[in-house]
Amino acid sequence: MLDHCAPGHSRKQRTHNWVVSYRASTFPNLPVGEHGQRKNPEIQVGHVKAMVRQLGIADCAKTQIERLRC
């Protein structure tokens, strides 16, 4: 979704979260996942909603992720 809706974004993984930057906005609170392997974590939709609002990509994100349409 980020590749499609926020081309040119950057993301940096920290110990417990991702920092996602796009244009002049930064969202520093996207969780990495539960303890353990963290290979394909399930991230709660509330975190994604907050990120897309902060980055200003909500309209595009709604076309990519069905759960954001509510």
Side-chain angles (χ1 to χ4, degrees), residues 5 8 13 17-18 20-21 30 32-33 36-37 51 66-67:
C5 296
Q13 185 175 359
N17 59 335
W18 288 92
V20 181
S21 298
L30 191 64
V32 174
Q37 294 291 324
M51 180 186 67
E66 186 174 331
R67 296 219 30 214

Side-chain angles (χ1 to χ4, degrees), residues 11-62:
R11 52 187 164 206
K12 179 181 178 187
Q13 185 175 359
R14 297 194 307 194
T15 305
H16 300 288
N17 59 335
W18 288 92
V19 177
V20 181
S21 298
Y22 177 62
R23 295 187 180 162
S25 299
T26 301
F27 185 77
N29 300 324
L30 191 64
V32 174
E34 298 294 326
H35 294 286
Q37 294 291 324
R38 299 179 177 171
K39 295 226 184 225
N40 189 15
E42 284 190 25
I43 298 173
Q44 295 176 355
V45 72
H47 290 290
V48 177
K49 285 181 179 181
M51 180 186 67
V52 300
R53 280 193 307 265
Q54 178 73 28
L55 299 179
I57 59 171
D59 291 336
C60 179
K62 288 177 184 177

